[in-house]
């Protein structure tokens, strides 16, 4: 070997070994969601803990009105990113023409997102409240909704269970079931799993990675809900005495309880304008 080449390789190796170690671990960001808008005055209390917030495009589950309407600019000005949500249909509502209903609901979600000022390519999440294996009517509705949102120039996601549900002698996880039947559709997954463990419960330090939910393809993990669900989160010991989860600096008397999420983005829906 040419000694000059040999020495050059030695020098290169020395330079490489002297470089600082690169950290390829993804950072995580906390976010909150709740059915009721927290109020303009509370945003400065929530922002030090949370990077993003859920944002309903229609009436949240069990509600007759949507208090989030018209608040996108206020939240963005306060420094929040977004998890944009559309409340989907329950199985009992899907007995007739579920695909047609998915199409119209997807179009309604896009129309609402545009009215609220969210830019094209924002990810809109379909809120799926029922878990276990999705029945044929539910699948027809979900995929028609996804197709409608995607065709309109937005991106589609689903909020669904990441908790194993018993099915005879086996178990089924809703997120895996939806993904396995998606036929190549590009869907972002926001999973909920408030079982301790893997959930840390009502905790705000060292946010876990979404994949620690047990769903390795999850982009967002909701790991705490308010109120605490006794059938799932009984082993979680760090909720407030009233069974709700309150962020740091929030007096429980205010009833400003939250569901808590972790993501690898500070704007998981990519809903910011600036």
């Amino acid at each position: 070997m040419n000694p000059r080449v040999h020495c050059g390789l030695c020098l290169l190796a020395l330079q490489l070994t002297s470089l600082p170690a690169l950290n390829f671990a993804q950072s995580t960001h906390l976010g909150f969601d709740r059915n009721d808008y927290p109020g303009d005055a509370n945003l400065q209390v929530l922002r030090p803990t949370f990077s993003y917030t859920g944002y309903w495009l229609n009436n949240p589950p069990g509600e007759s009105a949507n208090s989030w309407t018209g608040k996108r600019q206020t939240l963005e000005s306060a420094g929040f990113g977004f998890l944009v949500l559309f409340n989907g249909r329950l199985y009992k509502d899907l007995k007739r023409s579920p695909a047609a209903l998915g199409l119209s609901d997807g179009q309604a979600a896009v129309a609402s997102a545009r009215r609220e000022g969210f830019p094209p390519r924002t990810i809109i999440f379909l809120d799926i409240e029922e878990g276990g294996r999705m029945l044929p009517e539910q699948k027809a509705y979900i995929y028609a909704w996804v197709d409608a949102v995607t065709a309109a120039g937005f991106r589609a996601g689903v909020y669904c269970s990441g908790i194993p549900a018993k099915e005879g002698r086996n178990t089924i996880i809703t997120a895996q079931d939806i993904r396995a039947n998606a036929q190549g559709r590009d869907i972002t997954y926001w999973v909920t799993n408030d079982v301790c463990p893997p959930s840390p419960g009502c905790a705000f330090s060292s946010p876990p990675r979404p994949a620690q939910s047990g769903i390795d393809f999850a982009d967002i993990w909701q790991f705490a809900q308010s109120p605490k669900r006794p059938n799932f989160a009984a082993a979680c010991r760090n909720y407030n005495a009233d069974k709700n989860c309150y962020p740091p600096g929030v007096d429980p008397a205010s009833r400003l309880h939250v569901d808590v999420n972790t993501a690898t983005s500070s704007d998981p829906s990519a809903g910011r304008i600036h």
Side-chain angles (χ1 to χ4, degrees):
M1 176 181 287
N2 186 316
R4 285 177 295 181
V5 174
H6 177 70
C7 291
L9 292 174
C10 292
L11 179 60
L12 177 61
L14 180 61
Q15 289 172 335
L16 289 174
T17 56
S18 66
L19 290 174
L22 296 177
N23 182 9
F24 293 103
Q26 290 179 307
S27 59
T28 51
H29 305 266
L30 283 178
F32 76 94
D33 68 279
R34 63 197 317 268
N35 282 3
D36 297 328
Y37 181 70
D40 295 352
N42 289 318
L43 298 184
Q44 61 182 350
V45 178
L46 295 168
R47 182 62 186 89
T49 302
F50 300 112
S51 298
Y52 53 91
T53 173
Y55 192 101
W56 288 99
L57 294 175
N58 60 344
N59 295 349
E63 304 293 335
S64 58
N66 182 14
S67 58
W68 294 85
T69 301
K71 294 297 184 180
R72 193 206 64 79
Q73 182 57 54
T74 300
L75 287 160
E76 182 170 343
S77 296
F80 287 97
F82 297 98
L83 282 170
V84 182
L85 267 169
F86 184 86
N87 183 21
R89 309 279 180 158
L90 299 176
Y91 175 70
K92 64 182 179 65
D93 302 319
L94 301 177
K95 301 303 175 64
R96 291 185 180 181
S97 304
L101 190 55
L103 172 62
S104 61
D105 277 2
Q107 292 170 339
V110 167
S112 180
R114 287 173 173 158
R115 283 195 303 271
E116 292 300 304
F118 287 103
R121 303 280 299 161
T122 294
I123 301 171
I124 305 174
F125 290 91
L126 176 64
D127 178 65
I128 302 170
E129 288 290 310
E130 295 168 315
R133 185 183 301 276
M134 294 289 97
L135 298 174
E137 296 88 347
Q138 293 172 303
K139 289 176 181 176
Y141 172 79
I142 291 167
Y143 300 130
W145 187 94
V146 167
D147 291 344
V149 168
T150 303
F154 284 73
R155 289 178 289 170
V158 293
Y159 164 89
C160 62
S161 176
I163 301 173
K166 289 185 178 180
E167 187 181 72
R169 295 183 178 181
N170 301 314
T171 59
I172 186 77
I173 298 176
T174 306
Q176 292 178 343
D177 182 44
I178 293 172
R179 188 174 188 243
N181 292 278
Q183 297 182 334
R185 290 176 173 88
D186 185 10
I187 300 174
T188 300
Y189 290 86
W190 173 8
V191 302
T192 179
N193 186 348
D194 53 341
V195 178
C196 294
S199 170
C202 179
F204 301 95
S205 60
S206 302
R209 291 177 291 104
Q212 291 177 256
S213 64
I215 305 299
D216 59 5
F217 55 85
D219 296 280
I220 305 100
W221 174 20
Q222 183 189 76
F223 60 81
Q225 292 191 18
S226 293
K228 181 171 80 169
R229 301 191 298 169
N231 291 344
F232 298 99
C236 303
R237 305 299 182 190
N238 49 2
Y239 282 75
N240 191 63
D242 68 358
K243 310 302 182 184
N244 288 307
C245 184
Y246 295 95
V250 172
D251 184 350
S254 70
R255 304 295 294 169
L256 189 62
H257 47 70
V258 296
D259 300 342
V260 189
N261 304 275
T262 183
T264 54
S265 170
S266 61
D267 184 24
S269 273
R272 290 187 181 125
I273 300 294
H274 303 291

